[in-house]
Amino acid sequence: MAPYPRPPRLTGGVFILIGLALIVGGAWLLALGGTWYYLAAGVLTLLTGGLAFTGRRAALWLYALTLLGTLMWSVAEVGLDIWQLEVRLVMPLVLAIWLLLVSRKLRVPLTGARAAGPALGLIALAVIVVGAVAAMQPRGIHGSVTLDANAQPDQDTSVPNDDWLFYGRTPKGDRYSPLDQINTGNVKSLKLAWTARTGDTMRPGEDVGGTDAGHEFNFEDTPIKVGDTLYVCTGHSWVVAFDAATGQKKWSFDPKADTSADVYLACRGVAYYKAPEGTQTDCPERIIAPVLDARIMALNAKTGQLCQDFGDHGFVSMKEYLGHVPAGFHFITSPPLVVKDRVILGGWIFDNQATFEPSGAVRAFDPLDGKLVWAWDVGHDPQNWTPGPHDTLTRGTPNAWGVYTADVDRGMVYLPEGNATPDYFGGHRRPFDEKYSSSTVALDIETGAPRWVFQNVHHDLWDFDVPTGPSLVDLPDPKGGTIPALVQTTKRGELFLLNRETGQPVANVEEKPVPQGAVPGDHTSPTQPFSTGMPSLAPKDLTEAAMWGATPIDQMVCRIQFRRAYYKGQFTPPQLKNTIVYPAFDGVIDWHGASIDPTHKILIANANYIPFMISLAPREPYVKNGDVQPWSGDGNEPKVGGGLSPQYGTPYVGKVHPWLNPLGVPCNPPPWGTLTAIDLTTRKIVWQHPIGTTRDTGPFGTHTNLPFPTGIFNIGGNMVTKGGLVFIGATADDYLRAIDERDGTVVWQARLPAGGQANPMSYAINGKQYVVIAAGGHAGLGTRSGDYVMAYALPDGDTAGKDSKP
């Protein structure tokens, strides 16, 4: 009799190791109240490995039973959700195929040995069939809307159609271009027209792959276009002017910003001002731009030279009236709003550092001489005033760091207010902090007098700043009139539809009970506002069954972390242990906001989904071990260790980080990014689809993967055009895409040379429409860094196409 072949001991060893991992983790999970599956699967996999190691054909039967049980459990737990099935079934399927490939080495006899291989093969085939059926299931919300080509335009005509004068094209922030040369009928012919380089790139010591280096370098700019020139600002506060038709650089100005202490290096845009006819100035047209080291500057729009009549030879210090400002504690990333002879802006007060940080007051300056016109200071009576040379604006108040919008005709500017510092403890907050934190606020443009306030989050303990000003739109009312409305996007994913004259809800808002139980010395609001009259983009609450991973093992780790953490759903208050916060401060919708088609009343919003872990801890042990030094605000902040948020002035330090498992894979399931169209008239979702792929997002922080269409993390917004197209970069897979506004279909895409984490824009010059996006990467997403400005247009002679689909 021929000797048996050598048993497949490598195969058996691998099964044994996987089984042991599942047994240890599964027993821990079961002890925490979790599912029994991992322990059972671990025992069966371990036994399969032992049988294979000794060459016994019973391994095939045992693993067939394991795979069948896994298939039944998976479908019972998550149904036919392809991404949830993928993490449960792919690795067991691969192991089954591996075992079949070495089955000829399993020769120790047993009854029914001949049927063992076919049985395992049939179950493996069943897994493949179930996966194929799941992959064919529709994902998202499939619908469509008819865009009436004969509809009466309802756009803001204060900006010429060919230009893009504000961050959102107009002061209303709708990010809508009234150009339709590029449309659904010809967008497939869209080509790269020109590429420009700013020359400002990431420097040594800065970081585009995370935050360990202390400085996040980003290119978040939305260019503005005035006449024949495109104006761009960069991560180090340069302003660069390009020929709008060719991309040729006209001029560049570097303000030599001191960014050594700034943790976030970005500029989202600049502003344009034209002086009234007859004004005596060497700068009749000027670009007013933020500078990261808490200045604003005015440049001659034609030459790039400083306007000497503005402030101190072209600069105004935003540190004036703030008292002592520690290095890096006040910087500006968003463009000022320039309307009605006012330059209106605030700034970013360094998150999570202290109760005694500089004031978050918003100020308005004269665009010609740079003199302060008014300050809005919630801690002062009256709130709108003009401080004198020895006055200090109230410290530690909420700040409005995002882009502002305005209804110029009604004389109102709309501010997106953050919360009073620090973010995760609020026991010290004053009545005016509580009233204005995390709110949308309307001020009088000319005087700064408050008109109304609408609070999006009460007693915010989650860093749910309102990250951008609302988008304005006029909507029909049931009586045939018009409602002057606005839509406020939020980090929570709630969309608040308000009357922009009064701040009262147009769509129903309800106060609902939320989890309670803050740390000692703090409290929680018993209720929070939910926009029940509008669709919500907020994620579902997490469950153990929803946990994800690249393999069953790291998914099991996520389940264990979920069971060990404190979590009661949305608005779970931070605890003295790991607390899951979802949605979290990176937002569902962050600083990019949403776009609105004002003619058809369609809102387009891209959303982002990732949970965070937050924990608080008593301060004293960290003072004793040297991670945190005592500090009362004098001088600059001492060095902080241990990845802590020091929260000086409170009893606690904090830690916050994205919730990723040991492979660097999210613990929440796909989709991680979506694009949604909402009809603002019916207040219903028209369509919703995952946006982006995993092409550049892999385990362990790598940027190589297969392009699975999971929907991916995104930072940066979208714009919508009269041509029926939505353009969006934003996603971590470095594409610019064109989406059919009617049904959400991707109709064109182009690979970018670096991350496109910025809002695209569009303009026309010499009869040709261009679509432009800044492509320079983003530290938070770890996308490729660069300094590119990319412009796309139709080839000459290919501009007449129209789509016959309504």
Side-chain angles (χ1 to χ4, degrees):
M1 186 175 65
Y4 289 123
R6 179 176 297 178
R9 292 203 168 107
L10 175 61
T11 301
V14 169
F15 273 71
I16 289 170
L17 290 174
I18 292 173
L20 287 172
L22 290 173
I23 288 171
V24 172
W28 191 2
L29 179 59
L30 188 61
L32 291 170
T35 180
W36 53 266
Y37 164 77
Y38 294 90
L39 178 58
V43 171
L44 292 174
T45 303
L46 176 69
L47 292 174
T48 299
L51 291 170
F53 194 85
T54 56
R56 297 180 180 273
R57 202 163 180 80
L60 296 171
W61 278 117
L62 189 57
Y63 201 69
L65 177 64
T66 305
L67 186 61
L68 179 61
T70 296
L71 176 60
M72 295 171 64
W73 169 79
S74 298
V75 173
E77 188 172 52
V78 298
L80 292 178
D81 183 322
I82 181 59
W83 301 122
Q84 289 281 26
L85 290 177
E86 178 265 338
V87 68
R88 289 163 171 80
L89 295 177
V90 168
M91 190 179 88
L93 177 62
V94 169
L95 291 176
I97 294 171
W98 185 357
L99 196 58
L100 286 170
L101 290 174
V102 300
S103 61
R104 62 182 179 83
K105 296 184 178 182
L106 302 172
R107 294 294 181 88
V108 176
L110 84 159
T111 303
R114 293 179 180 273
L120 180 55
L122 284 173
I123 296 170
L125 180 61
V127 170
I128 294 171
V129 170
V130 169
V133 171
M136 292 187 287
Q137 301 301 305
R139 294 184 292 279
I141 298 172
H142 292 260
S144 63
V145 64
T146 299
L147 303 181
D148 184 358
N150 299 315
Q152 185 67 28
D154 190 14
Q155 70 197 56
D156 186 341
T157 58
S158 65
V159 174
N161 286 357
D162 289 356
D163 283 348
W164 191 289
L165 296 189
F166 295 82
Y167 179 83
R169 202 185 85 83
T170 75
K172 293 183 176 180
D174 54 18
R175 302 165 183 82
Y176 172 79
S177 171
L179 302 174
D180 64 355
Q181 185 181 84
I182 302 169
N183 55 66
T184 53
N186 59 24
V187 67
K188 291 184 184 299
S189 300
L190 202 61
K191 304 293 183 185
L192 182 65
W194 52 258
T195 301
R197 308 286 295 271
T198 66
D200 184 20
T201 56
M202 184 173 61
R203 299 170 183 170
E206 295 171 353
D207 185 34
V208 75
T211 59
D212 291 342
H215 305 278
E216 296 187 19
F217 181 79
N218 311 297
F219 193 12
E220 299 177 352
D221 176 71
T222 298
I224 64 171
K225 185 263 187 183
V226 185
D228 62 358
T229 306
L230 202 67
Y231 299 96
V232 172
C233 65
T234 72
H236 295 112
S237 302
W238 296 12
V239 177
V240 187
F242 297 103
D243 186 292
T246 66
Q248 290 295 312
K249 188 179 292 186
K250 292 187 172 184
W251 54 259
S252 178
F253 182 82
D254 176 4
K256 309 296 183 184
D258 179 4
T259 62
S260 58
D262 293 338
V263 296
Y264 197 90
L265 308 180
C267 177
R268 298 191 183 100
V270 301
Y272 170 78
Y273 176 74
K274 184 175 182 179
E277 293 293 334
T279 302
Q280 297 299 312
T281 175
D282 292 332
C283 289
E285 295 182 67
R286 53 186 66 189
I287 298 300
I288 301 176
V291 184
L292 273 171
D293 56 8
R295 293 179 290 166
I296 52 176
M297 61 184 176
L299 305 173
N300 187 307
K302 301 298 183 184
T303 67
Q305 299 298 307
L306 286 166
C307 297
Q308 297 297 319
D309 55 358
F310 182 83
D312 183 8
H313 300 287
F315 292 99
V316 168
S317 173
M318 291 294 289
K319 293 181 181 179
E320 192 173 5
Y321 313 115
L322 295 187
H324 174 60
V325 180
F329 267 57
H330 183 61
F331 49 104
I332 308 168
T333 55
S334 295
L337 178 69
V338 180
V339 288
K340 300 191 76 165
D341 294 317
R342 299 289 186 269
V343 178
I344 306 172
L345 76 163
W348 188 18
I349 307 302
F350 194 5
D351 279 348
N352 253 334
Q353 302 305 299
T355 60
F356 42 77
E357 295 193 38
S359 178
V362 172
R363 284 168 277 177
F365 299 87
D366 187 296
L368 288 171
D369 60 19
K371 291 181 179 178
L372 182 68
V373 179
W374 54 257
W376 179 62
D377 176 4
V378 299
H380 188 269
D381 187 16
Q383 291 180 355
N384 59 315
W385 63 303
T386 305
H390 303 295
D391 291 322
T392 300
L393 298 166
T394 308
R395 297 187 74 85
T397 52
N399 61 92
W401 55 267
V403 175
Y404 305 168
T405 55
D407 185 332
V408 178
D409 293 336
R410 289 177 170 82
M412 300 169 77
V413 56
Y414 303 99
L415 311 180
E417 283 288 293
N419 57 354
T421 59
D423 295 310
Y424 305 120
F425 180 86
H428 62 287
R429 293 179 188 163
R430 302 154 293 191
F432 49 80
D433 295 325
E434 297 283 26
K435 179 178 180 179
Y436 288 101
S437 284
S438 302
S439 298
T440 306
V441 178
L443 303 181
D444 185 283
I445 291 173
E446 296 192 33
T447 68
R451 296 280 195 91
W452 56 257
V453 56
F454 178 86
Q455 191 161 61
N456 300 280
V457 178
H458 309 319
H459 193 67
D460 183 359
L461 301 176
W462 306 271
D463 194 9
F464 281 151
D465 304 354
V466 183
T468 190
S471 296
L472 281 50
V473 62
D474 293 331
L475 297 176
D477 71 12
K479 299 178 181 179
T482 298
I483 302 172
L486 61 78
V487 182
Q488 180 62 70
T489 57
T490 66
K491 291 183 177 182
R492 295 171 50 198
E494 295 295 301
L495 305 172
F496 293 98
L497 183 63
L498 310 177
N499 185 309
R500 65 178 183 265
E501 287 186 330
T502 66
Q504 294 301 306
V506 173
N508 193 48
V509 175
E510 294 182 27
E511 292 285 335
K512 294 185 177 184
V514 293
Q516 299 297 291
V519 295
D522 205 348
H523 67 277
T524 50
S525 172
T527 64
Q528 293 290 351
F530 288 80
S531 184
T532 56
M534 285 284 287
S536 176
L537 301 183
K540 295 179 181 178
D541 285 350
L542 296 169
T543 64
E544 185 203 318
M547 295 299 98
W548 206 76
T551 71
I553 294 175
D554 62 302
Q555 183 201 39
M556 177 182 65
V557 172
C558 286
R559 287 177 182 253
I560 292 170
Q561 292 175 345
F562 177 80
R563 287 286 181 177
R564 296 186 69 202
Y566 186 81
Y567 179 67
K568 301 296 182 182
Q570 190 177 163
F571 289 111
T572 299
Q575 302 291 307
L576 301 179
K577 61 181 294 188
N578 277 339
T579 306
I580 299 171
V581 175
Y582 187 55
F585 82 90
D586 257 5
V588 173
I589 304 176
D590 206 341
W591 49 260
H592 48 267
S595 65
I596 293 179
D597 178 341
T599 298
H600 301 101
K601 316 304 179 189
I602 304 294
L603 177 141
I604 310 291
N606 51 292
N608 189 53
Y609 298 101
I610 185 167
F612 274 63
M613 283 281 191
I614 294 175
S615 62
L616 300 179
R619 172 177 306 281
E620 194 57 34
Y622 292 93
V623 172
K624 288 182 178 179
N625 71 16
D627 281 340
V628 177
Q629 305 295 325
W631 188 49
S632 59
D634 297 331
N636 290 326
E637 180 184 23
K639 184 176 178 59
V640 178
L644 297 172
S645 297
Q647 300 194 137
Y648 296 106
T650 79
Y652 305 101
V653 297
K655 283 188 177 182
V656 55
H657 57 84
W659 184 20
L660 305 175
N661 67 33
L663 297 185
V665 172
C667 283
N668 62 307
W672 298 305
T674 61
L675 187 67
T676 304
I678 297 172
D679 188 321
L680 294 175
T681 303
T682 64
R683 301 172 196 167
K684 295 183 182 300
I685 291 177
V686 177
W687 51 259
Q688 182 181 80
H689 303 302
I691 185 75
T693 73
T694 57
R695 172 173 173 166
D696 296 287
T697 305
F700 303 110
T702 60
H703 301 288
T704 301
N705 204 341
L706 296 173
F708 296 115
T710 56
I712 200 62
F713 309 112
N714 55 90
I715 298 177
N718 68 81
M719 72 155 178
V720 62
T721 74
K722 185 182 177 183
L725 295 168
V726 179
F727 286 92
I728 178 171
T731 55
D733 60 355
D734 297 350
Y735 279 97
L736 175 65
R737 292 178 171 91
I739 313 292
D740 192 319
E741 182 187 352
R742 295 166 296 187
D743 58 15
T745 304
V746 177
V747 291
W748 172 88
Q749 65 182 22
R751 181 78 165 161
L752 297 171
Q757 281 68 59
N759 287 27
M761 51 83 72
S762 187
Y763 61 87
I765 187 168
N766 302 330
K768 183 183 284 288
Q769 182 183 356
Y770 294 82
V771 173
V772 170
I773 188 168
H778 193 279
L781 286 188
T783 50
R784 288 176 294 170
S785 184
D787 63 339
Y788 302 90
V789 180
M790 312 292 290
Y792 298 86
L794 295 170
D796 292 339
D798 197 6
T799 59
K802 292 288 184 180
D803 194 343
S804 60
K805 185 168 69 170

